[in-house]
Amino acid sequence: MNTRLFFLLFFLLGDFYVYSNKTDSYNLPITQINEISNDSLRLQYLDSLLSTLATSQMDNKLAFYDSLEKNIHFSHEKFKAEFYLNLTSNYSYINQYQKGKLLSLQAAEVFTRLGDKPQLAKAYYILGLIHNKINDLDDALNYLLKSLQIQEDLSPSINLAHAYNAIGGVYDLLEKDSKSFEYYQKALKQFKIYGNLKAQALAYNNLGLLMQRQGNIKDALDFMLQAQEIFESEQEVRLQTRLIPNIASLYIDLGEFEKAEHIYLKASKSLSQYEDPNTLAHINAGLGNLYMNMGKLEQAERLLRKAAPFLQPFNAMRVYSNLASIDTLRNDYKAFAHDHLKYVTLKDSIYDEEKMLKISELENSYESKLKDKEIQLLQKDNKIKRSQLLFMVIAIVAILLLLLTLYFRYRVLMHQKKLNLIQIEKQNFEKLRLEENYYAEQKIREIQKRKYHEDLDEKNRQLASASFHTISKNKTLKQVSDSIQDFLENDKPKTSLNHLQKLINNNLNLDEDWEQFKLQFEKVNPDFFKKLHNNYKQLTDNDLRLLAYMRINLSTKEIAQMLNISSKSVNMSRYRLRKKIGLDKDEELRDFIQNI
């Protein structure tokens, strides 16, 4: 905005506030606006003026906006249509949706005739928002889809994301969840492309509310937390605080009351740095309701009473209703009478306010006798409602008693449900513990089995070594015996040689080596001989020796040397052994031995 325009705006705003309560207060500033010769500059000034007035506390805004609509002039209809769209937003701020709707329709007609697609898309978009506000959802969706169709043919812009988001909102109100989710996701994607963090957070919030309505609590919480993270990083304290009740309610649905309490306390601490008692009151009210559900009645009462004076009538009415319930639980009937009276008074004032708003709308919309009759009927109805207040109080007390009974029953059921959930969790934990113990025992058994086989292999190696030592000794003694036999056959001195041969043969037949081998063998293979004796009593000692040597996998030749017999004799002994045991032809003797 250039310097001249800035000073003009400054002085004109001063005029509005000075003359805002006078009948002819708007003539002077409107005349000055019309004196701006350039349509584009005049529109730029009016945009800035309307933006400032939208959030100002100026009286008689409606009258001033009506005066602007009738008396501001443009040389080209395009600029007047754009001005109408901007003025529509200001009418919406003061709930004059019908006026805004008429101006937007006139603007859309102009842009259609001029072929101005961007401005036509904007007009349809605003019409969609207005119909959404007046709960005409079918027309709202129709206009928004028209706007979207035009914008998709134009160059991509942030307006496309806003259209997606608005359409998602209408589908949300129509409870067409799949469509709503689709358009919210499209909006989020576009907001990310343009780096609009605040809009991204609002899109995450919309998705969270949608998931919450569907009962998908975990996804809803995830979306809400992402929105909160963005608001926190952008230091949007008020927007962040708006999310707190939603996030807390999700934690409550998940049974995580401590997390809900934590997020309320964190928000309360953040807001304490700002002078914003109204927002802080909403947080205190939410935390008070949480404490009430948790059974912390003293803390709940303290926070609810602290919040009540700063809340709007509707929210204050709900707070006093909860306080009355707490009073009943604590048998404080004096406090109940006070809080319930507050509740009834606020409810009645809200009803009156709604009726008065209805009356005001009728006065602004009609100037006929029918309008006057409807106003009188509404006023009469309001008086009737007041006369029925005493009866309503009595009925409410009776209903409260019934609700209290239902509430206590509900608490008992919820307590039992909580106990059942704890029992299920305990059973799941015990099952998990038993499974872990089972797998641990399996691991230990595997380690023990592996150790056992390692020890068995080591002892078998020792047995084999002892066997090879015996074989070597017997082999040597056999050679000596053969040599002596040769001496005897060749008429060599016989007396001493006979004695020596006898001594060696005696050594060959000693059982000392066998007993030593047997002792070591039974350490490795306990009960081996005992099982054979019990099951096959016909087996001889030589049979047992043969089975033991086969158990440690000695070859036929090695067994022959151990027993000091020929290999053929070993085979014969093996054949006789199969018969004694009773093995079939297709059964292997070695397999039988290894399975003992």
Side-chain angles (χ1 to χ4, degrees):
M1 186 185 299
N2 59 36
T3 306
R4 178 176 174 272
L5 191 60
F6 173 79
F7 281 108
L8 179 60
L9 177 61
F10 177 79
F11 286 115
L12 287 180
L13 282 173
D15 289 340
F16 295 151
Y17 285 106
V18 170
Y19 298 107
S20 61
N21 293 317
K22 297 182 179 179
T23 307
D24 59 348
S25 61
Y26 308 120
N27 295 331
L28 176 62
I30 290 174
T31 301
Q32 291 174 326
I33 294 170
N34 281 327
E35 287 177 355
I36 300 174
S37 59
N38 185 285
D39 278 352
S40 178
L41 192 62
R42 186 183 300 118
L43 180 63
Q44 184 181 353
Y45 166 73
L46 286 167
D47 287 349
S48 300
L49 175 63
L50 291 173
S51 296
T52 304
L53 293 177
T55 55
S56 73
Q57 301 299 320
M58 189 185 85
D59 295 332
N60 300 324
K61 284 185 181 181
L62 177 59
F64 178 62
Y65 294 155
D66 288 344
S67 182
L68 284 176
E69 177 194 346
K70 294 176 182 178
N71 299 306
I72 291 294
H73 303 296
F74 290 90
S75 58
H76 196 287
E77 63 178 349
K78 174 181 182 298
F79 292 99
K80 186 162 189 176
E82 290 184 24
F83 167 63
Y84 279 174
L85 289 184
N86 295 335
L87 187 56
T88 295
S89 299
N90 287 62
Y91 275 129
S92 297
Y93 280 128
I94 57 175
N95 301 322
Q96 295 296 319
Y97 299 115
Q98 291 297 332
K99 288 182 178 289
K101 176 183 172 182
L102 291 174
L103 290 180
S104 297
L105 286 171
Q106 291 180 50
E109 183 180 348
V110 172
F111 294 133
T112 301
R113 187 167 60 252
L114 296 175
D116 190 338
K117 290 188 176 181
Q119 289 297 332
L120 180 59
K122 181 179 179 181
Y124 284 149
Y125 175 76
I126 292 173
L127 281 166
L129 296 183
I130 291 173
H131 280 279
N132 190 5
K133 285 288 187 180
I134 61 178
N135 206 31
D136 186 357
L137 299 181
D138 291 333
D139 283 344
L141 185 60
N142 182 43
Y143 280 118
L144 289 171
L145 289 173
K146 282 183 179 181
S147 175
L148 177 64
Q149 185 177 5
I150 295 172
Q151 291 189 59
E152 287 179 336
D153 292 336
L154 300 173
S155 299
S157 69
I158 191 67
N159 294 331
L160 184 63
H162 288 299
Y164 283 140
N165 195 56
I167 293 170
V170 175
Y171 277 128
D172 198 346
L173 292 172
L174 291 170
E175 297 186 1
K176 295 183 178 180
D177 293 347
S178 60
K179 282 286 188 181
S180 178
F181 186 82
E182 175 189 347
Y183 280 95
Y184 280 151
Q185 286 282 30
K186 287 181 178 181
L188 179 59
K189 182 179 179 181
Q190 291 295 318
F191 287 138
K192 286 181 178 179
I193 291 174
Y194 291 100
N196 191 327
L197 290 176
K198 181 178 176 181
Q200 288 178 44
L202 293 173
Y204 278 128
N205 179 56
N206 290 336
L207 287 166
L209 293 173
L210 179 61
M211 292 295 101
Q212 184 178 20
R213 191 180 72 207
Q214 292 179 338
N216 194 339
I217 304 302
K218 290 186 177 179
D219 285 346
L221 183 60
D222 182 57
F223 284 128
M224 291 285 189
L225 291 176
Q226 290 184 75
Q228 185 194 29
E229 184 180 350
I230 293 174
F231 285 144
E232 190 171 354
S233 67
E234 294 294 298
Q235 297 182 345
E236 293 281 357
V237 177
R238 287 178 176 82
L239 290 175
Q240 181 185 353
T241 307
R242 276 183 177 179
L243 288 174
I244 297 304
N246 293 335
I247 295 174
S249 70
L250 292 171
Y251 279 130
I252 292 170
D253 289 341
L254 292 171
E256 299 180 9
F257 295 102
E258 291 77 9
K259 288 187 177 179
E261 180 183 11
H262 172 74
I263 198 169
Y264 270 131
L265 291 174
K266 182 180 177 182
S268 179
K269 184 178 179 181
S270 298
L271 285 171
S272 64
Q273 302 173 13
Y274 300 88
E275 294 183 1
D276 190 358
N278 293 331
T279 307
L280 183 59
H282 281 284
I283 296 301
N284 286 335
L287 185 56
N289 291 334
L290 172 63
Y291 282 146
M292 184 176 172
N293 290 329
M294 295 171 68
K296 298 180 179 181
L297 299 183
E298 290 185 7
Q299 293 167 276
E301 181 183 14
R302 177 176 57 81
L303 288 168
L304 292 173
R305 292 197 185 283
K306 185 177 179 182
F310 299 98
L311 296 173
Q312 294 295 324
F314 180 75
N315 292 322
M317 178 188 71
R318 295 173 62 185
V319 165
Y320 280 113
S321 175
N322 289 336
L323 284 170
S325 297
I326 293 173
D327 297 334
T328 304
L329 292 172
R330 298 175 63 182
N331 296 323
D332 189 346
Y333 298 108
K334 183 178 180 180
F336 170 79
H338 172 268
D339 293 331
H340 185 66
L341 181 60
K342 285 276 191 180
Y343 163 75
V344 173
T345 303
L346 284 168
K347 184 177 180 182
D348 187 54
S349 69
I350 292 169
Y351 177 80
D352 288 345
E353 187 175 331
E354 290 175 350
K355 290 295 183 182
M356 292 305 296
L357 182 61
K358 180 71 174 176
I359 293 170
S360 176
E361 289 177 353
L362 288 173
E363 287 175 343
N364 291 329
S365 302
Y366 302 99
E367 295 180 359
S368 63
K369 293 182 179 180
L370 180 62
K371 177 200 69 173
D372 296 330
K373 288 182 179 180
E374 288 182 0
I375 292 173
Q376 291 172 3
L377 287 173
L378 286 171
Q379 291 173 338
K380 184 178 180 180
D381 183 59
N382 193 24
K383 291 179 181 179
I384 293 172
K385 292 294 182 182
R386 287 180 177 275
S387 66
Q388 294 174 342
L389 180 61
L390 181 61
F391 173 79
M392 288 176 61
V393 170
I394 296 172
I396 288 171
V397 170
I399 292 171
L400 280 175
L401 291 174
L402 176 62
L403 289 176
L404 283 174
T405 304
L406 294 174
Y407 173 76
F408 283 118
R409 181 173 177 79
Y410 169 79
R411 288 292 300 272
V412 171
L413 291 174
M414 290 302 295
H415 180 68
Q416 185 61 44
K417 184 177 179 181
K418 186 176 181 180
L419 290 178
N420 292 338
L421 288 174
I422 292 172
Q423 184 63 28
I424 291 171
E425 289 178 358
K426 185 177 179 181
Q427 291 174 355
N428 291 336
F429 174 80
E430 183 65 20
K431 182 179 178 181
L432 181 61
R433 186 183 65 81
L434 291 174
E435 288 178 354
E436 290 176 349
N437 289 343
Y438 172 78
Y439 289 126
E441 289 172 359
Q442 286 285 94
K443 191 69 176 177
I444 291 170
R445 282 197 289 270
E446 288 176 5
I447 293 171
Q448 290 175 341
K449 185 177 180 181
R450 186 164 60 251
K451 184 70 170 58
Y452 169 78
H453 284 295
E454 288 174 356
D455 293 341
L456 184 63
D457 291 341
E458 177 61 27
K459 291 179 180 180
N460 280 333
R461 284 194 295 272
Q462 292 175 2
L463 282 173
S465 176
S467 300
F468 291 141
H469 174 73
T470 303
I471 291 169
S472 178
K473 184 199 76 168
N474 286 350
K475 185 175 181 181
T476 302
L477 292 175
K478 185 68 170 64
Q479 289 174 350
V480 172
S481 178
D482 291 341
S483 298
I484 294 171
Q485 184 64 33
D486 182 63
F487 280 122
L488 292 175
E489 289 174 356
N490 293 318
D491 296 326
K492 293 184 180 180
K494 296 183 179 180
T495 305
S496 58
L497 290 176
N498 282 335
H499 177 71
L500 181 59
Q501 184 182 30
K502 183 178 180 181
L503 180 61
I504 291 172
N505 286 334
N506 288 337
N507 285 331
L508 284 171
N509 294 324
L510 285 176
D511 289 334
E512 183 179 350
D513 289 333
W514 163 247
E515 292 299 331
Q516 185 66 29
F517 171 86
K518 184 178 179 182
L519 181 63
Q520 187 68 20
F521 179 88
E522 287 185 329
K523 290 181 181 178
V524 181
N525 303 281
D527 297 332
F528 180 78
F529 294 115
K530 183 178 179 181
K531 290 178 182 177
L532 288 172
H533 276 302
N534 291 340
N535 295 325
Y536 307 101
K537 298 185 182 299
Q538 69 274 26
L539 296 179
T540 65
D541 289 342
N542 284 335
D543 292 333
L544 295 174
R545 288 189 185 188
L546 177 60
L547 289 168
Y549 292 147
M550 292 179 72
R551 174 76 172 209
I552 63 173
N553 293 321
L554 293 183
S555 66
T556 301
K557 184 178 179 182
E558 290 169 342
I559 293 172
Q561 291 173 345
M562 288 288 290
L563 297 176
N564 198 23
I565 59 177
S566 66
S567 297
K568 184 176 180 181
S569 298
V570 172
N571 288 332
M572 287 299 296
S573 297
R574 196 151 40 200
Y575 175 76
R576 287 193 296 271
L577 191 56
R578 287 178 62 89
K579 282 193 170 184
K580 289 181 181 181
I581 295 172
L583 292 179
D584 295 333
K585 291 182 180 181
D586 56 349
E587 291 185 86
E588 289 291 334
L589 182 57
R590 283 190 181 275
D591 292 341
F592 167 79
I593 293 168
Q594 294 302 326
N595 292 328
I596 294 176

